[in-house]
Amino acid sequence: MNLQNKVALVTGGGAGIGRSIAIDLAMHGADVMIVDRQSADQVIDEIKKIGRKVFAAQADVSSFSESSRAVAVTLESLCRLDLLINNAGINKDGVVWKMTEEQWDAVIDVNLKGCFNFIRAVAPIFKEQKSGKIVNITSINGLRGKFGQANYAASKAGIIGLTKTVARELGKFNVNVNAVAPGMVETEMMRVLPQDVKDKSISETVLERVAQPEDIAHVVTFLCSDYARHITGEVIKVDGGQYI
Ligand SMILES: NC(=O)c1ccc[n+]([C@@H]2O[C@H](COP(=O)([O-])OP(=O)(O)OC[C@H]3O[C@@H](n4cnc5c(N)ncnc54)[C@H](O)[C@@H]3O)[C@@H](O)[C@H]2O)c1
């Protein structure tokens, strides 16, 4: 897969799955802009070692203005934009009868509105250049629901509706829009879960293991490549058979 001369923007690229996606895209030739609310210095060093150009913009994806500014900074520093990976996400779990308004709003704002903010900023660019790829990171819990995750599952289900709609709207401009739905992946988000929740996840997974961030990154790179040029509006589960 050859992504040379492509520029990718990865939200939440400072850690976890986003870090892995940024590195994998760079290994396949792309230059990268990392957007994260925390420092991305470590990932920047790793991508520089691969020999690709890399910049970072510190921004909160739930902010419309910070998101459009991050896209503008990408064009200023890397001169073009071809691939958008909406990966930044959070969870603030709790059963619905105890969930606070703050828990609900925070998760919807980062996970769902964050995707809209970046799609809104890149859509005119991709439309004009008649090319582009958008990959949104959802979750199997957006497909099946999950006890204690009304806010998270709703945000991830919303991403699926957003993906299918934007795929329809941008298809005639040669833009592919897809979603990747991981099951449990070994990152900080997973490490903070109670052990019994982790054990249950592994026991329901057909391949009897937790995914590594690279397992998700490889599928994202594929969707960004020409090998996937006839795939759009799709949700690809990468979950080891956790939700069949
Ligand atoms: N880890 C899992 O088991 C799992 C499973 C399914 C889906 N996902 C999804 O994959 C994505 C990445 O998850 P992860 O496990 O790598 O999480 P993580 O917590 O390890 O990393 C998330 C990254 O996003 C950044 N981020 C969070 N909120 C942000 C904001 N408002 N603005 C900018 N950056 C922000 C964080 O700083 C961090 O660098 C998320 O969308 C998550 O919902 C994760």
Side-chain angles (χ1 to χ4, degrees):
M1 289 180 284
N2 183 359
L3 298 179
Q4 253 163 27
N5 303 320
K6 304 287 185 200
V7 170
L9 186 159
V10 183
T11 72
I17 296 170
R19 169 188 164 275
S20 234
I21 291 170
I23 290 171
D24 204 60
L25 292 172
M27 280 168 62
H28 287 85
D31 295 325
V32 183
M33 168 61 78
I34 291 166
V35 178
D36 207 299
R37 64 181 174 187
Q38 66 178 16
S39 160
D41 288 352
Q42 235 184 319
V43 191
I44 289 178
D45 286 347
E46 289 175 272
I47 292 177
K48 279 187 182 157
K49 277 187 202 137
I50 297 168
R52 302 313 319 169
K53 286 188 202 147
V54 57
F55 290 89
Q58 210 150 0
D60 179 347
V61 300
S62 68
S63 158
F64 188 79
S65 59
E66 287 182 31
S67 301
S68 56
R69 177 80 199 122
V71 170
V73 168
T74 309
L75 295 180
E76 281 160 25
S77 46
L78 289 161
C79 302
R80 56 180 297 117
L81 183 54
D82 305 280
L83 317 169
L84 166 66
I85 320 301
N86 275 316
N87 161 81
I90 58 169
N91 60 330
K92 286 180 182 283
D93 297 354
V95 284
V96 75
W97 57 89
K98 288 187 186 164
M99 188 170 287
T100 64
E101 185 182 9
E102 189 279 331
Q103 277 174 297
W104 176 268
D105 286 346
V107 170
I108 298 292
D109 283 355
V110 173
N111 296 9
L112 181 55
K113 188 182 171 206
C115 287
F116 163 72
N117 287 343
F118 276 86
I119 290 171
R120 177 65 185 82
V122 307
I125 301 164
F126 286 2
K127 189 169 168 271
E128 178 71 23
Q129 71 195 18
K130 291 199 167 46
S131 70
K133 312 265 191 196
I134 299 173
V135 182
N136 300 317
I137 306 300
T138 176
S139 162
I140 57 166
N141 294 344
L143 290 163
R144 65 176 186 174
K146 173 86 173 170
F147 187 96
Q149 288 198 325
N151 49 0
Y152 184 83
S155 73
K156 294 301 187 179
I159 287 175
I160 293 169
L162 178 65
T163 301
K164 293 185 179 186
T165 299
V166 180
R168 287 181 187 277
E169 292 180 355
L170 290 179
K172 61 165 140 336
F173 303 104
N174 189 34
V175 177
N176 303 59
V177 187
N178 292 292
V180 171
M184 186 167 278
V185 186
E186 197 168 336
T187 67
E188 197 50 38
M189 185 181 271
M190 178 212 136
R191 276 189 277 275
V192 298
L193 293 175
Q195 192 56 44
D196 61 317
V197 175
K198 289 190 241 183
D199 290 345
K200 185 163 184 283
S201 273
I202 295 169
S203 71
E204 67 190 11
T205 301
V206 171
L207 293 179
E208 294 182 355
R209 60 176 182 251
V210 171
Q212 296 304 306
E214 310 84 81
D215 295 322
I216 313 306
H218 293 151
V219 177
V220 172
T221 298
F222 165 69
L223 287 172
C224 289
S225 78
D226 230 29
Y227 287 111
R229 68 184 179 195
H230 211 52
I231 301 176
T232 199
E234 195 55 76
V235 182
I236 301 188
K237 284 186 285 151
V238 185
D239 69 342
Q242 190 175 348
Y243 177 51
I244 293 178

